[in-house]
Amino acid sequence: MASTMKTWEYLYLTDPESELGPENETIVETDTETYTERDLEEHYLISREASIMAPAQEAEMNDNGKVGPHPSYIQVAKPYMLEQHIQECLVATGVTQAKEDNIRMLGVAWIDNVRKALQLPVRTYNTACVYYHKFRLSHADTEYGFIDAAAAALFMACKVEDTLKRSKEILCAAYNLKLSPAEHVSQDDPMFESPSKTIIGLERLMLESAGFDFRNRYPQKLVIKLAKFYKVDKESVGKKAYYMSLDLYRTFAPLKQTNATLAFACLELSGRVLGQNIPNVEAASDYANWHITREEVMETLLDLLDLYTHHRTSTIVGQDLALDIFIDTRIILNQEASSNNYPRYTHNSEKKKKPSNGTKATNGTNDVKATKSPVSPSDPSVKDSRLSSTMSPAAVAGPKGRAGVKDGTIRFMLDPERAREEQKTVAEYFKVEEEEYEVEVETERRRG
């Protein structure tokens, strides 16, 4: 047997291009099976010293006897998120509301300051803020520094929006903001070497958090078009609405609403706070043409007013107006929401909750509590059991987002229909079928 296999090995190594046919096949017999030269060529690795050949390892079979693909997780990119989902993610990360607001404001402010220093366009700022928010919804704040996350988001946004900047260039611009022009350092300084590697490492996690979705929205262009269409004063109402569209990215509203909803909300609020109301916008007569509703615009208006009420000094518009103006505007919108039974957050699938004090919520609705988000659990390790159906495995996993993924991979898709079809096909191989049957066993009685 060994000599026959050595002869085949010699023929194959001396003339590997030769075509093997039935007429010149050499039969190699073993104790259990019979192989031809063609079989050996397809299924075995031949080495010069090999004298024994082992068959290839067969694929493992499932419990139902079928050989199928390995299970994997499919994460479909979500261009929009519901407020309910956002709050569930924040609870899963175990962050308190005060800390979340603080880190969100600081991160967006860092992105805004650095992009101005680098003279990057507004679209890069929009994209960076969205990636920063999505990253923080998937990873706990204890796993990274918010400056590193903001820098990685801006670095990734520069690639997506084709405004390329090196990671060291971004870090250098941020460092030079704290120095006088005479003390500015170069981007090739060795101090940026280690932070640059950190940013590049976070970029992969940033891509996973965004679902490899590069579809982004920019409401500023539509704000300008609507201001021209409704013939508002561009120096007062138009400019203020534009600045509000920038402040809007300090909230989660860009993750929830379309461009039209964001643009109408900014234009309406700009007119209200300046005392130049726009009746055609407030009447919601053109909403149907943009496939939006008054409830969605009202939610965005209240998100903006929450920002200007609680974090006025961290915004662009809030510093120019008094706090009483925003409070008065909020009261008027609360009355409208209460009279029309508008929910605070649209498309919310949770059961309606009544405030514990027996009064209406501060925004004039009855479906959610007056607090801006659910209270974080006392133990951050305790997760909501409902998250497994709405969040990706990486988001509901343990530390570093990998503890929950033991075997299998996470695959990212943009088409939800394709993901459903694939899951339906793969599910046939992993059905758990159980059968119950009774077996009679004869037992002998013990003699006492």
Side-chain angles (χ1 to χ4, degrees):
M1 171 182 169
S3 60
T4 305
M5 297 171 73
K6 282 286 186 181
T7 303
W8 183 88
E9 176 190 357
Y10 174 77
L11 292 174
Y12 178 78
L13 293 175
T14 54
D15 188 15
E17 302 294 334
S18 61
E19 297 182 359
L20 300 177
E23 66 276 5
N24 56 3
E25 286 184 343
T26 301
I27 305 300
V28 180
E29 298 183 353
T30 64
D31 295 339
T32 57
E33 297 183 16
T34 301
Y35 301 97
T36 64
E37 286 184 357
R38 186 179 301 276
D39 296 329
L40 295 173
E41 181 182 8
E42 293 177 352
H43 298 289
Y44 304 129
L45 295 173
I46 307 298
S47 63
R48 292 181 182 275
E49 295 82 8
S51 60
I52 300 177
M53 297 184 183
Q57 185 177 4
E58 297 182 357
E60 297 183 358
M61 301 182 67
N62 296 321
D63 296 336
N64 54 7
K66 295 182 180 181
V67 179
H70 195 277
S72 62
Y73 301 98
I74 298 178
Q75 179 175 336
V76 181
K78 302 178 181 63
Y80 301 98
M81 300 177 66
L82 301 179
E83 178 68 23
Q84 176 186 357
H85 186 196
I86 292 174
Q87 297 300 337
E88 288 176 349
C89 292
L90 293 177
V91 172
T93 57
V95 63
T96 61
Q97 184 64 40
K99 184 178 179 181
E100 193 280 326
D101 290 342
N102 184 38
I103 295 178
R104 172 158 47 88
M105 294 299 162
L106 292 176
V108 174
W110 191 95
I111 293 174
D112 192 22
N113 294 333
V114 175
R115 72 98 183 173
K116 289 179 180 177
L118 295 173
Q119 298 181 354
L120 295 174
V122 172
R123 68 175 187 273
T124 304
Y125 163 77
N126 295 349
T127 304
C129 291
V130 170
Y131 289 153
Y132 177 70
H133 294 325
K134 289 184 177 180
F135 179 79
R136 293 189 58 250
L137 292 177
S138 301
H139 299 272
D141 295 328
T142 56
E143 300 177 9
Y144 59 90
F146 78 90
I147 293 181
D148 295 334
L154 185 59
F155 177 60
M156 179 177 164
C158 289
K159 292 183 177 181
V160 173
E161 300 299 335
D162 200 18
T163 54
L164 298 180
K165 295 293 181 181
R166 297 174 57 191
S167 58
K168 294 182 180 179
E169 192 173 355
I170 294 175
L171 293 172
C172 180
Y175 184 80
N176 289 335
L177 287 175
K178 301 178 293 183
L179 304 175
S180 62
E183 298 175 339
H184 283 188
V185 297
S186 171
Q187 59 182 339
D188 297 326
D189 195 288
M191 74 170 69
F192 302 124
E193 193 68 32
S194 178
S196 176
K197 294 180 180 179
T198 303
I199 291 177
I200 296 175
L202 286 176
E203 183 185 10
R204 178 180 62 85
L205 299 178
M206 197 74 62
L207 287 168
E208 292 180 359
S209 302
F212 290 85
D213 187 6
F214 306 122
R215 299 169 294 180
N216 299 294
R217 304 181 291 277
Y218 322 103
Q220 287 79 17
K221 184 181 296 185
L222 185 57
V223 168
I224 296 175
K225 290 183 178 179
L226 290 178
K228 292 181 179 179
F229 178 78
Y230 290 106
K231 299 178 181 180
V232 300
D233 186 5
K234 64 179 181 180
E235 292 298 328
S236 58
V237 179
K239 184 177 293 187
K240 196 69 69 177
Y242 182 85
Y243 289 147
M244 284 183 177
S245 67
L246 298 179
D247 286 338
L248 203 58
Y249 280 84
R250 302 176 193 270
T251 69
F252 290 120
L255 303 182
K256 301 183 293 184
Q257 308 297 347
T258 62
N259 273 348
T261 303
L262 301 178
F264 272 101
C266 292
L267 191 62
E268 179 179 346
L269 185 59
S270 175
R272 285 180 180 273
V273 296
L274 294 177
Q276 304 179 25
N277 294 36
I278 311 173
N280 293 334
V281 174
E282 297 176 7
S285 57
D286 296 331
Y287 285 177
N289 298 332
W290 297 93
H291 303 283
I292 61 177
T293 61
R294 182 59 182 171
E295 291 85 348
E296 296 170 349
V297 176
M298 182 64 69
E299 178 182 355
T300 308
L301 287 168
L302 296 177
D303 287 342
L304 267 174
L305 289 171
D306 280 339
L307 175 67
Y308 292 134
T309 303
H310 299 92
H311 308 280
R312 185 171 59 90
T313 58
S314 302
T315 62
I316 302 175
V317 177
Q319 299 178 0
D320 300 333
L321 299 173
L323 180 61
D324 296 338
I325 296 177
F326 297 110
I327 295 177
D328 294 340
T329 306
R330 178 64 182 265
I331 293 174
I332 296 175
L333 293 177
N334 283 342
Q335 294 174 353
E336 179 184 350
S338 178
S339 60
N340 293 281
N341 294 326
Y342 292 153
R344 175 60 181 92
Y345 300 111
T346 56
H347 311 292
N348 197 335
S349 61
E350 287 185 340
K351 294 182 180 180
K352 295 185 177 182
K353 302 177 182 179
K354 296 182 179 180
S356 57
N357 57 359
T359 60
K360 292 185 177 181
T362 56
N363 59 357
T365 60
N366 296 327
D367 58 334
V368 293
K369 294 183 179 180
T371 54
K372 291 186 291 184
S373 68
V375 179
S376 300
S378 57
D379 185 1
S381 61
V382 178
K383 304 293 189 300
D384 192 345
S385 60
R386 296 171 298 174
L387 299 184
S388 57
S389 61
T390 58
M391 300 176 63
S392 64
V396 297
K400 302 299 180 184
R402 287 291 175 265
V405 186
K406 297 180 180 180
D407 52 358
T409 57
I410 303 177
R411 301 174 55 235
F412 300 88
M413 290 188 180
L414 297 179
D415 186 6
E417 188 64 29
R418 177 184 174 186
R420 283 192 290 267
E421 291 295 331
E422 182 170 325
Q423 288 177 342
K424 182 179 178 181
T425 303
V426 174
E428 298 179 358
Y429 294 90
F430 301 101
K431 288 182 179 180
V432 179
E433 298 180 357
E434 297 180 357
E435 181 180 356
E436 296 182 1
Y437 58 91
E438 297 180 358
V439 178
E440 295 182 358
V441 180
E442 296 182 359
T443 57
E444 296 182 358
R445 294 183 180 179
R446 294 182 180 181
R447 297 179 180 180

